[in-house]
Amino acid sequence: MNTNLIFAESKLALSKLSIIITVALVSLYSNTVVAVEFNTDVLDSIDKDNIDFSRFSQANYILPGTYRMDVRLNSQALNEYDVVYLPLPSNTETSVPCIPASMIRELGLKPNAMDKITYWQSNTQQQCADMSMLSGASTRGDLGTSSLQLNIPQAYLEYSDPNWTPPSRWDNGEPGVLFDYNLNSNYTKPQNGQQSQNVSVSGTAGANAGPWRLRGDYQGSYNHSSAAGQATTRNLDWSRVYLFRALPQMRAVLTMGESYLASSLFDSWRFTGVSLNSDERMLPPSLRGYAPEVTGIAKTNAKVTVSQQGRVLYETTVPSGPFRIQDLSSAVSGKLDVKVEEQDGSVQTFQVDTATIPYLTRPGQVQYKLASGRPSTYDHHIDGPVFTSGEFSWGVTNGWSLYGGSILAGDYNSAAIGVGRDLYTLGALSADVTQSFAQLPNQVKKQGKSWRVSYSKRFDSTNSEITFAGYRFSERNFMSMGEYLDAKYRDGSTGNNKELYTITASKGFDDLRLSLYGSYSHQTYWNQSADDRYSLAASTYFDLGPLKSTSLMLSATRSQYEGNNDDVVYLSMSIPWGSASVSYTGQYNDKTYTQSASYYDRIDNNNNYRLSAGNSMGGVNGTSTQGSGYFTHHGDAAEITANASYSQNNYTSLGLSLQGGLTATAKGAALHAGGGNGSTRLMVDTGKVSGVPVNNGRVHTNIFGLGVIADVGSFYRNTTSLDLTTMPDDIEAKQSVVEASLTDGAIGYRKFSVVQGAKAMVVLAMEDGRHPPFGASVFSREGREIAVVADSGQAWLTGLQAGETLDVKWDGQTQCQVTLPKKLDTMSSLLLPCQAVDKNEKVEN
């Protein structure tokens, strides 16, 4: 016959009966019957002798060979593996997957179930698991979805829930490097005065190898003013360099290098050394603690910086109005310094105490934190004595916990002991006392005590909650480690703190659609005036005629520092307007009332903007007109925020923020938005297919088919999916969802089965005029099965590439090959010659 490619006639559609038979074959292929014999008389086939049913005659039968499969345990994804299918030694007509010991260790089997697993050695010298002693366990492979399903009764498995997997299934990710950044820039032109520019940057650089994570936190700034005599300043420095890894069996994290003491009993300070801390993030979500949050009110578009002892923990740009930062790490402890830099040049500063709720531990469990090293300064100088610290919490009974700890540092020592009590319907209460001993210069000795009481309670019946309430009293001669270091090594003050009151409470009124929130912090000192911070907020929503869910909020804060009050009152009303919203805001601060009307809209999932116009009355500037704009774009390579503000007779300001990073492994590299300062991320691979939307289009793969999901949680199950609704027509996904449970700081990697190319109905013909048998398989060069041959050689092919060579297999071997034409854009149906393969070159699947 003529071997040139020619277009066939239009009679290439599958017959209805052939389609029914094909569906029946698939059904037979997945049932539990051991062997099947087919009556070919029911087939509407011209050549009933030219049929290959070998792949369907055994239930779950897969030809021996190696397949890249997505392994799933009880329908939950584990990872992708190269799964080897082998014939059973006792029955060569039956194939089974060889499950190695490395895969068994990741299933999360209980010890008694692991003992029941035996191994048999295949003819390829591989050790394969035999799970027949686990009653109810089974395996089933599916080449159509490239998956291997392992079904194991839950009684044999460790505890898990829909959001959490046991440590045996945690993934340390790929070796690689990362570089995350958060860049904020601002240009301000006052009405009277010289222009100024400010740029600040912070982030993390790091490298991963197995379970180890090397991280270096950096921060820098650039400040320039055109005013005479104002020097340009710039700096860039590593604020912290450290190495850490998770120890899953201990539910702890080991950290070496520069760090900050993580403690629920003592104040935090910077040191260089080693620490071993229990990490609640390794527990199921329902058993984890909480992370601190920072709230406040910005008067203009502002930059908010959260730091601790000079190290930037979090930095972002927020629009004017109330802000709430809730994504700080749960590992943060101690007092946080918050700075709000407004575009008009004013600065708000306050502190947030991250003291935890009462220190309670579940019965029989012990939580601990150990550290040893020497105190160090921000510029990496060792400054202080060698110290060792430790603390614990032991769940004595179902309601009682005992906790305590100590710091041993030569001339400074302290010890604490406390008890926690679950009061059940009355909440939870803890009380502790700390004794300190300090030897200062000139033979001055100080020793004193500090008492603390903490309480928390959720009132379900009244929909109210006291998140945290605490009282602490310190004697005049009591010193924390930080105060001791300041006094002896840094010429600081000694023993200032006296009393500290803190409370955070909320209350909801469902019938009134009203929510109330309040917080209060009061710190007194032995030798200076007290500091206070109050925060109150009330919000409600209601229907305003046809305008549904109109919201109204009123909030107020007062920060009192060194006898000076900084009061802010904020009022807002937001009205939904289709997909957008219209709002009114009013703000009173420093005898000035500022009001504005705003329009907010989301262009799509990745873009939104807000436009505002209003005026300001009172204060030193009198009445003035104001306007501002705020635009945010969540791009594939970075998250970009641009803002502009104008205040009549006052200033003009422009701002730009970039947040993103670069992640690189042996699998490839990609720029991405977000990053979270060296935190956990997931690299997704779509097989060199670019522009594939992931997670509702929040990420699109780059020209190499790679994308990075930067906001991935640690130690619990994360689900990532392709957005099939917006995927281009020439892209097809055999697998659209992957799951991963990653350790802290890991660079996870998951590959989607995605192909891009043309689709066509074809007829396959041999050189002698015959067709490949009904039931034969068509494979791409990558080993992906793309079609099953139907009656008269007909097949529906997808993911075709111009000039590509395809293998056609039956009887367990490649029998012939098809080469596609170099142009595929205009074809609707093709007659493709299938060139026979030399028998000596036939390769088993």
Side-chain angles (χ1 to χ4, degrees), residues 140-219:
R140 184 174 66 85
D142 187 350
L143 289 182
T145 58
S146 298
S147 64
L148 175 64
Q149 177 68 252
L150 306 179
N151 295 303
I152 299 177
Q154 194 65 43
Y156 296 123
L157 300 173
E158 295 177 345
Y159 171 81
S160 65
D161 66 28
N163 299 313
W164 186 82
T165 57
S168 57
R169 299 185 212 165
W170 293 348
D171 186 356
N172 284 318
E174 298 288 324
V177 296
L178 54 87
F179 180 82
D180 295 340
Y181 65 88
N182 190 343
L183 180 70
N184 291 274
S185 61
N186 188 72
Y187 167 85
T188 301
K189 177 64 172 68
Q191 178 70 21
N192 298 310
Q194 300 298 317
Q195 64 185 21
S196 63
Q197 299 93 39
N198 169 269
V199 180
S200 63
V201 64
S202 62
T204 299
N208 289 6
W212 291 97
R213 318 281 184 245
L214 175 64
R215 295 291 185 267
D217 299 338
Y218 64 90
Q219 60 190 62

Side-chain angles (χ1 to χ4, degrees), residues 267-301:
D267 290 346
S268 179
W269 72 87
R270 181 188 176 97
F271 72 96
T272 300
V274 60
S275 65
L276 179 66
N277 298 332
S278 296
D279 192 340
E280 285 190 340
R281 295 178 301 167
M282 298 187 192
L283 298 173
S286 59
L287 304 181
R288 298 179 186 178
Y290 84 110
E293 68 177 30
V294 176
T295 61
I297 298 176
K299 295 180 290 184
T300 64
N301 295 337

Side-chain angles (χ1 to χ4, degrees), residues 480-797:
S480 67
M481 179 69 165
E483 292 170 336
Y484 163 76
L485 294 173
D486 285 341
K488 186 170 183 178
Y489 297 94
R490 301 162 193 164
D491 298 324
S493 59
T494 61
N496 287 332
N497 294 335
K498 184 179 180 181
E499 288 183 294
L500 172 65
Y501 306 89
T502 56
I503 186 169
T504 301
S506 63
K507 166 65 178 172
F509 299 89
D510 293 337
D511 295 340
L512 301 176
R513 299 180 177 181
L514 176 65
S515 296
L516 300 177
Y517 169 86
S519 66
Y520 169 66
S521 175
H522 174 70
Q523 174 74 68
T524 64
Y525 303 90
W526 285 102
N527 56 358
Q528 67 185 57
S529 59
D531 294 339
D532 290 279
R533 178 171 171 80
Y534 310 85
S535 179
L536 297 172
S539 62
T540 185
Y541 66 96
F542 52 90
D543 297 336
L544 193 62
L547 302 175
K548 306 297 183 182
S549 299
T550 298
S551 63
L552 179 67
M553 184 184 72
L554 175 66
S555 62
T557 64
R558 163 172 284 188
S559 298
Q560 189 177 58
Y561 180 70
E562 295 184 350
N564 297 317
N565 292 336
D566 184 10
D567 299 329
V568 180
V569 179
Y570 183 86
L571 171 69
S572 72
M573 181 176 181
S574 180
I575 303 174
W577 196 275
S579 62
S581 64
V582 178
S583 62
Y584 168 84
T585 60
Q587 182 172 279
Y588 178 81
N589 174 251
D590 193 22
K591 299 181 180 180
T592 301
Y593 183 75
T594 302
Q595 61 180 347
S596 65
S598 302
Y599 177 82
Y600 171 86
D601 197 4
R602 292 174 63 249
I603 301 173
D604 52 38
N605 287 337
N606 296 326
N607 298 278
N608 63 78
Y609 66 92
R610 188 176 73 173
L611 301 174
S612 301
N615 61 18
S616 177
M617 297 174 289
V620 296
N621 296 316
T623 301
S624 62
T625 302
Q626 297 180 343
S628 66
Y630 199 88
F631 174 79
T632 299
H633 169 68
H634 187 97
D636 297 324
E639 183 166 332
I640 304 172
T641 299
N643 64 80
S645 297
Y646 167 78
S647 179
Q648 183 185 13
N649 301 323
N650 193 1
Y651 69 90
T652 300
S653 180
L654 301 174
L656 180 67
S657 300
L658 300 176
Q659 184 180 19
L662 169 67
T663 300
T665 70
K667 307 291 187 181
L671 294 169
H672 54 84
N677 291 347
S679 60
T680 313
R681 73 264 336 262
L682 178 66
M683 177 177 286
V684 294
D685 188 346
T686 54
K688 298 182 180 180
V689 180
S690 64
V692 178
V694 184
N695 281 3
N696 294 322
R698 295 285 287 176
V699 173
H700 292 79
T701 54
N702 60 20
I703 59 174
F704 306 107
L706 297 173
V708 174
I709 314 298
D711 53 347
V712 174
S714 304
F715 304 115
Y716 70 93
R717 183 180 295 116
N718 297 274
T719 300
T720 301
S721 60
L722 303 182
D723 187 3
L724 301 179
T725 59
T726 61
M727 191 176 295
D729 292 337
D730 63 341
I731 296 178
E732 181 178 357
K734 297 291 185 181
Q735 175 195 19
S736 61
V737 179
V738 296
E739 294 180 350
S741 298
L742 302 172
T743 57
D744 191 25
I747 304 174
Y749 174 82
R750 292 292 184 272
K751 186 171 184 178
F752 289 97
S753 180
V754 177
V755 294
Q756 184 175 29
K759 304 174 183 179
M761 176 68 74
V762 301
V763 172
L764 306 178
M766 307 285 288
E767 290 180 322
D768 58 4
R770 295 185 301 112
H771 301 289
F774 192 125
S777 296
V778 182
F779 287 83
S780 68
R781 274 303 187 186
E782 291 77 20
R784 179 179 61 89
E785 185 179 30
I786 60 176
V788 175
V789 178
D791 192 19
S792 302
Q794 299 175 87
W796 172 250
L797 306 181

Side-chain angles (χ1 to χ4, degrees), residues 6 56 58 92 125 130 139 262 268 277 305 350 388 441 473 586 619 631 663 666 743 776 801 816 824 832:
I6 61 174
F56 302 110
Q58 294 288 333
T92 58
Q125 305 304 310
D130 180 3
T139 63
S268 179
N277 298 332
T305 303
F350 57 91
T388 299
F473 175 82
F631 174 79
T663 300
T743 57
Q801 304 297 322
C816 64
L824 299 173
L832 298 178

